[in-house]
Amino acid sequence: MDFLKKLLVELQFSIIVPVYNRPQEIEELLASLTKQTYQKNFEIVIVEDGSENISKEIVDSYSKELSIKYFLKENTGAGASRNFGMQHATGNYFIIFDSDCLIPENYLVEVEKALTTNYTDAFGGADAAHESFTTVQKAINYSMTSFFTTGGIRGSKKAVDKFQPRSFNLGISKKAFEATKGFSKMKIGEDIDLTFRLWEHNFETQFIENAFVYHKRRSTFQQFFKQTFAFGNGRPFLNKKYPNTAKITYWFPSLFITSLFSAILFYMLGIKLFLGFFAIYFIVIFLDSLIKNKNLSVAFYSIITTLIQFFGYGLGFIKGLLTE
């Protein structure tokens, strides 16, 4: 079956990037795309989502090096802008990036290699921290990808069962886009919602480990908390909409923060054992991050970002449960 698919599909990539008031990010993204080692043609579709600080001048400056289409439209949100970009693309396989990504030079080569070996109508990839990232950004990346925080589902193929691609690094065939109509009007969790609808239409997804991007994410603790809170807040709605996809692991951050508060309360009552378990956990986080990042500051901040991630997602999940 895979052999027949390979015969029928000649991959023509269209890269879709929605952007909102972030011309500097677009410049960095396009600069990284000029270094692709991929020898075949590919196009880039930039969709300006009602920005006041537009990127047209920067996009135009790369028009001789890259095949770029640029659209300026009214603000409708990232999901609708991605759909708009795919509707105006000429390729038969769409690759979606967030504007705050840097793309490794062998990205498209790795995607073509993986899809040629095992074709699926959608895929997702991991994210990593670029050497140019700030200490906080590297710590956030650690917390989002580590086995000790998220089970490593965003950074390792070994941790993936049935992968749910995320919109910062997502591929979808034109056939699958037309069948599912792309992203819904959801503001949070729209990529997971799309994955579930892909599965309902019997499209397969896969995790391509070597197709990673350098994802800047948020650059402050406050922004990271807001982001993770939104992720947690949206999950109960998805669980209700797709009950067969609900997992006990989605409760873990909420259980973590309630357990931590309980441990602190017991400590105040003279029972130190429970808080000791958390101390051991954070020592493990520190050491693991230190080994991976080889930086004491990043290792220390990884403890903070892990706490923020659990509190943000956990509190958001509780709020989502109460408001559903």
Side-chain angles (χ1 to χ4, degrees):
M1 185 65 178
D2 290 336
F3 177 73
L4 290 175
K5 287 180 178 179
K6 284 188 287 184
L7 288 178
L8 294 172
V9 176
E10 182 181 349
L11 294 170
Q12 298 172 342
F13 293 125
S14 291
I15 294 173
I16 315 297
V17 185
V19 58
Y20 180 70
N21 287 330
R22 295 181 179 183
Q24 180 59 38
E25 289 183 353
I26 285 296
E27 181 166 24
E28 293 172 344
L29 172 63
L30 292 177
S32 69
L33 287 171
T34 63
K35 300 175 183 178
Q36 285 297 300
T37 58
Y38 189 67
Q39 296 298 310
K40 300 177 184 178
N41 294 329
F42 64 94
E43 71 171 352
I44 302 166
V45 181
I46 306 293
V47 182
E48 194 88 62
D49 186 29
S51 301
E52 295 178 1
N53 187 10
I54 64 173
S55 310
K56 188 177 188 309
E57 185 175 340
I58 289 172
V59 173
D60 287 345
S61 69
Y62 283 90
S63 60
K64 292 183 179 179
E65 298 176 81
L66 298 166
S67 175
I68 307 179
K69 292 181 179 178
Y70 174 84
F71 298 94
L72 175 61
K73 53 179 277 299
E74 64 179 7
N75 181 259
T76 55
S81 294
R82 297 181 191 115
N83 290 344
F84 181 94
M86 288 185 280
Q87 290 165 352
H88 290 80
T90 59
N92 60 15
Y93 211 106
F94 309 132
I95 298 176
I96 298 168
F97 296 134
D98 281 354
S99 61
D100 59 349
C101 289
L102 303 176
I103 315 305
E105 61 183 17
N106 63 336
Y107 180 92
L108 290 176
V109 170
E110 293 295 341
V111 170
E112 183 180 60
K113 184 191 304 181
L115 292 178
T116 301
T117 303
N118 175 36
Y119 182 85
T120 55
D121 281 285
F123 75 86
D127 55 336
H130 193 268
E131 59 182 10
S132 66
F133 286 7
T134 67
T135 299
V136 173
Q137 287 173 326
K138 290 176 181 177
I140 288 174
N141 180 80
Y142 171 82
S143 295
M144 292 293 287
T145 59
S146 170
F147 170 79
F148 296 107
T149 55
T150 62
I153 60 172
R154 290 173 180 243
S156 171
K157 191 171 185 177
K158 296 178 182 178
V160 176
D161 179 16
K162 196 173 181 182
F163 190 65
Q164 301 174 15
R166 301 303 199 272
S167 56
F168 67 86
N169 181 10
L170 181 153
I172 179 173
S173 70
K174 182 177 182 179
K175 177 183 177 182
F177 167 66
E178 291 175 343
T180 59
K181 309 302 180 186
F183 292 89
S184 68
K185 294 182 180 180
M186 294 174 61
K187 299 298 183 182
I188 299 295
E190 73 279 6
D191 45 6
I192 300 173
D193 175 75
L194 173 57
T195 296
F196 293 158
R197 287 186 287 110
L198 283 165
W199 293 345
E200 287 181 341
H201 283 78
N202 296 317
F203 291 113
E204 295 181 9
T205 60
Q206 69 169 304
F207 177 78
I208 302 179
E209 189 169 18
N210 291 331
F212 66 91
V213 301
Y214 299 112
H215 191 196
K216 290 185 176 180
R217 300 189 182 279
R218 300 298 179 253
S219 58
T220 68
F221 294 143
Q222 183 178 7
Q223 291 173 336
F224 186 49
F225 176 84
K226 184 178 179 181
Q227 184 183 48
T228 54
F229 184 90
F231 290 160
N233 189 36
R235 180 56 76 170
F237 173 79
L238 290 166
N239 290 346
K240 183 177 180 180
K241 187 175 181 181
Y242 305 99
N244 293 333
T245 66
K247 297 180 180 179
I248 189 65
T249 52
Y250 300 147
W251 288 81
F252 283 2
S254 300
L255 294 174
F256 179 93
I257 61 175
T258 54
S259 298
L260 179 57
F261 279 129
S262 298
I264 294 172
L265 179 60
F266 278 117
Y267 182 85
M268 295 172 65
L269 295 174
I271 304 174
K272 303 178 181 180
L273 176 64
F274 300 112
L275 194 59
F277 290 139
F278 284 95
I280 293 172
Y281 172 73
F282 288 121
I283 290 172
V284 171
I285 291 294
F286 177 86
L287 294 176
D288 185 55
S289 180
L290 182 60
I291 291 170
K292 287 183 169 62
N293 293 289
K294 297 177 176 57
N295 185 294
L296 283 170
S297 296
V298 174
F300 173 74
Y301 279 160
S302 294
I303 297 174
I304 300 174
T305 54
T306 296
L307 274 170
I308 292 172
Q309 178 174 296
F310 280 131
F311 270 80
Y313 192 100
L315 292 174
F317 187 82
I318 293 171
K319 180 179 182 295
L321 288 173
L322 295 175
T323 55
E324 270 302 309

